[in-house]
Amino acid sequence: MAVACGALLVSLTACGGSDGGGAAAGTATRGGGATGQAKARTADLERIPGVGDRLQDRIPENSRQVVAVYGEGRDSADSTIVLYTKHGSTWDRTKSWRGHNGKKGWTTDHSEGDRRSPVGVFTLSDAGGVLADPGAKLPYTRSASFQVPHYWAKSHWHDFDYVIAIDYNRVKGTSPNDPARPEGQSKGGSIWLHMDHGSGTSACVSLSKSGMEYLLRTLDPDQHPVVVMGDKADLRA
């Protein structure tokens, strides 16, 4: 059983829990089609836009896929998720989606139950969910243990149909719902990318089903994918 964002053993209000809003899942939007990508190449994106030196320097040199999560504000649950792909020495804006983060916003010192998503740069190494593998390049664990209890609001029943583990306080190379927390329980954990239910989460980042399917089929261990996440002010700092 999962903890926080899926570890039902410890928290039954994970990633939004049963008290979350009942809006329909967010709709995926294409961020930078042919025109957008052409503009990105014209602009010669040698850096991830909106990310200052502090976090930019933490992106591994060998990473060629970055999922950037731009939170609207420190206390906001609304985000824009953008996938950037590196070609040569420059980045292209590949896709973008509207989504959500922690109900109470963001923090640079995440702790268990604060309902804020952690600001930082984290690797992406494992995936899983209730549904069958849609063709993921990351190692994928299908398990009924991801299923949320049906006494949660119906809008949350499919939250963990697909998940990608964000490598915050977890052991890489394990299922996303592995409960191990190397830095201790108080630092929180089980922070995931998962399917959106239309409102804020407990600490995870959520986006549409089509967005999750796209990321699962695109993020490649050989490209060393990472997520850069935070509110816009902290990202720029």
Side-chain angles (χ1 to χ4, degrees):
M1 300 288 287
V3 233
C5 258
L8 309 179
L9 185 64
V10 174
S11 172
L12 294 179
T13 56
C15 282
S18 60
D19 62 339
T27 302
T29 58
R30 184 174 181 83
T35 301
Q37 291 181 15
K39 288 181 179 177
R41 282 191 286 270
T42 300
D44 195 22
L45 295 180
E46 295 183 353
R47 298 164 58 95
I48 302 299
V51 179
D53 290 344
R54 178 175 61 90
L55 295 179
Q56 196 90 39
D57 291 345
R58 291 176 55 189
I59 299 172
E61 290 186 8
N62 60 358
S63 179
R64 307 192 71 79
Q65 293 177 323
V66 168
V67 178
V69 182
Y70 298 97
E72 290 301 317
R74 176 163 275 263
D75 299 321
S76 172
D78 297 323
S79 296
T80 299
I81 298 97
V82 182
L83 174 64
Y84 293 97
T85 306
K86 197 170 192 178
H87 299 283
S89 61
T90 59
W91 294 93
D92 288 343
R93 178 185 172 109
T94 307
K95 282 267 195 177
S96 70
W97 304 268
R98 295 295 296 170
H100 294 92
N101 49 266
K103 288 175 182 290
K104 293 187 177 182
W106 297 90
T107 179
T108 55
D109 187 22
H110 178 64
S111 59
E112 179 73 17
D114 66 9
R115 299 206 169 198
R116 291 180 178 271
S117 297
V119 176
V121 178
F122 308 101
T123 53
L124 300 170
S125 54
D126 300 283
V130 176
L131 298 181
D133 184 349
K137 295 182 179 179
L138 297 173
Y140 188 93
T141 301
R142 183 187 188 185
S143 174
S145 65
F146 287 98
Q147 180 65 60
V148 306
H150 277 198
Y151 57 78
W152 282 19
K154 190 173 182 179
S155 58
H156 293 64
W157 286 3
H158 297 286
D159 280 12
F160 309 142
D161 280 0
Y162 293 128
V163 306
I164 298 171
I166 293 171
D167 292 333
Y168 169 90
N169 197 16
R170 70 177 300 269
V171 178
K172 297 180 186 180
T174 63
S175 172
N177 62 2
D178 185 305
R181 295 184 178 183
E183 298 178 42
Q185 191 74 21
S186 65
K187 294 294 291 181
S190 295
I191 311 296
W192 298 343
L193 295 168
H194 68 68
M195 284 170 49
D196 192 53
H197 54 252
S199 63
T201 70
S202 279
C204 296
V205 172
S206 61
L207 63 156
S208 64
K209 180 180 182 180
S210 61
M212 285 298 300
E213 289 175 333
Y214 185 88
L215 289 178
L216 285 165
R217 292 167 180 157
T218 303
L219 296 178
D220 185 345
D222 291 340
Q223 303 302 312
H224 308 283
V226 299
V227 59
V228 180
M229 53 194 276
D231 58 282
K232 291 178 181 177
D234 268 322
L235 287 176
R236 288 192 302 269

